[in-house]
Structure formats: C-alpha cells, structure tokens
Amino acid sequence: MRLNIFNRANFSAEDEKKVRDLLSSPEMERILDRVEQTQVDERTILRKQLDSLDKRHDPVVAKATASLIEARVKLDEARAMFDAAKEAEKESAQAVYTLECLKRDEDYRLRKELIESRDTRLDGFRVHVDNAWQQMRHLISISSVTHKNWAGATSVEYESNAEKVDACMGLLKQASADTHAMALLPLTRAEVSERLTAWTHKLEPDLDSFGIACPRLDEKGEVTTHRPPRKLHEVLQEKGLAEKADIPGERPKLERARSKIIDV
C-alpha cells in the first residue's frame, strides 16, 4: 500500500469505504504517481552527485594536498635554516667575545709595557700639576666696591676672579691629560723635556699670579718647581681667603671650642 492511515484513525465503516474509494480513484493514482516520480527524480539527482563526487572533488583535494606537502617541505627547510642561523649567531657571538677579550688583553699588555718603560719625570710633573689644580679650585673670590655719587646715593659693584680661575684650572686639566697621554707615546727624553717645558711656559704666568708653584725642569732635566711648593693654607692666607678652619694651628682651638659648647 502507498498509504496506510487506517490503523491510526478511527474511521467508521462508511468513512473508511469513502476514503478507500478516493485512494483507488484514477485521479489519486496520478497524484501519487507524480509524488513518487518527483521523489525518484530527486534521488536520481542525489545519486548522480554521489557518483560524481570523486570526479568533482578529488582534483581539487589533490591540488590542495600538493600545496600542503610543498608548504611543509618549505617549512622544514625554513626551520632547518632557522636552526642553522641560530647556531651561526651563537658561534659568531662567541667569536666576537673571544676576539674582544684578546683585544682587551693585548691592549692591557701594550699599555702596561709602555707605561712601565715611560719617562718617570711625567709622573712628577703631573703630581705638581694635579696639586696646583686642587689649590686653584679653592681660590675663587668675590669682592665688592661701594661707589657714592654726588647726591650721596651708593651702589655696589662686585668683582670676581672666577673666570680667571676656571681658565687656569682648564689649562691644568689639559696639562694633566697630556702628561698622561705622553706615557703611552714613543718619545725620546729630549722630546719629553721639550713638551714639559712648553707646558711650563703656558702654566707659569697664571700659577705665579696666584702664588702657586709651577712645575718645570731644572738644568739637569729633572722635575722641580719655580718656587718651593706651598701648602694650601699658605696660599689661601697669602690671598686673604683663609678661614680659621683652613689654618692647621687654629683647628685645635676650634675643636676645643666645639667641645666646650657640647659639654655645656
């Protein structure tokens, strides 16, 4: 039977007869045949699609698979290149470190040999230069001059030697750096003497104006000063810049005074 609905419905005998007559009528047969044919046609289409599935999809799948294989090969090659590059980078970094160490060691050795064989007069000259620089940095002074005009109004003019002190300190710094550099140069004793004497000529006018001993070479070519070196407090006292705390003899007095204040 194409359709069986009688077991699921409570038809009376008369109604069942009518329904059976309707179902067995030629018109209903044609309708059912069309429905069945439509279903067969649809299944035919589905079967054709199923039969052509491999033909339609396999070439595309094969092409995609080939692309996948190619991509994986390239990825493996890229990974191998990356690993090789990492190893090369590691080896290069190690080589750079080793070469830098070799350079640093050679630099130290060469400098050490040059310094050990230096003209030792450079040391003495630089000591005097550095001492002069230390003294100069305490010699900045500011003075004031009071002016009064005809109307009785006063004005104060300030003067400072800071510019001159800074210039001299800069020159001393250059001299110290140059004597340090000369220790690494292949200079003869005569050449060292010439360069040190040149620095004496540059430094002496300014240092002398501040009462500071200037390094120089004596008739034997040894380092000395154009005047006996003095201590800082002596230079400060001469320039009127010394305070009680700067003078050695005054320091114990100040310490005793502070002690008494604390005791009180």
Side-chain angles (χ1 to χ4, degrees), residues 2 20 22-36:
R2 291 179 180 174
R20 288 184 181 277
L22 178 61
L23 291 176
S24 61
S25 66
E27 182 64 26
M28 182 57 68
E29 285 292 333
R30 286 193 294 273
I31 291 173
L32 292 176
D33 287 342
R34 286 198 301 273
V35 171
E36 187 176 26

Side-chain angles (χ1 to χ4, degrees), residues 132-147:
W133 188 91
Q134 290 293 338
Q135 292 184 5
M136 283 295 303
R137 69 191 187 95
H138 294 283
L139 297 183
I140 294 178
S141 63
I142 300 175
S143 60
S144 62
V145 178
T146 303
H147 301 281

Side-chain angles (χ1 to χ4, degrees), residues 52-90:
S52 66
L53 190 65
D54 292 343
K55 182 179 180 180
R56 289 184 291 108
H57 289 279
D58 284 355
V60 179
V61 172
K63 184 177 180 180
T65 301
S67 297
L68 175 60
I69 294 173
E70 182 181 1
R72 285 177 175 171
V73 170
K74 290 182 178 180
L75 179 60
D76 290 340
E77 292 174 351
R79 284 173 176 163
M81 291 179 63
F82 177 72
D83 292 339
K86 282 185 65 177
E87 186 63 25
E89 187 271 342
K90 180 180 178 181

Side-chain angles (χ1 to χ4, degrees), residues 233 236-247:
H233 74 274
L236 292 175
Q237 283 180 298
E238 179 183 289
K239 296 298 180 182
L241 300 174
E243 298 179 359
K244 288 185 177 181
D246 297 320
I247 304 173

Side-chain angles (χ1 to χ4, degrees), residues 5 16 19 52 78 87 107 113 140 155 158-159 191 202 206 235 239 253 261:
I5 59 173
E16 183 177 343
V19 171
S52 66
E87 186 63 25
D107 179 81
E113 291 182 11
I140 294 178
S155 62
Y158 293 96
E159 296 180 352
E191 289 172 332
K202 291 180 182 179
D206 287 341
V235 177
K239 296 298 180 182
K253 297 179 182 179
I261 293 173

Side-chain angles (χ1 to χ4, degrees), residues 91-125:
E91 293 176 357
S92 297
Q94 184 63 40
V96 168
Y97 175 76
T98 301
L99 293 172
E100 286 179 341
C101 288
L102 291 173
K103 176 186 175 182
R104 186 165 56 248
D105 292 344
E106 185 175 357
D107 179 81
Y108 174 79
R109 178 181 62 79
L110 295 174
R111 288 177 182 273
K112 183 172 182 293
E113 291 182 11
L114 284 169
I115 290 174
E116 287 177 348
S117 61
R118 73 193 179 282
D119 188 329
T120 54
R121 294 179 301 166
L122 295 170
D123 302 341
F125 197 93

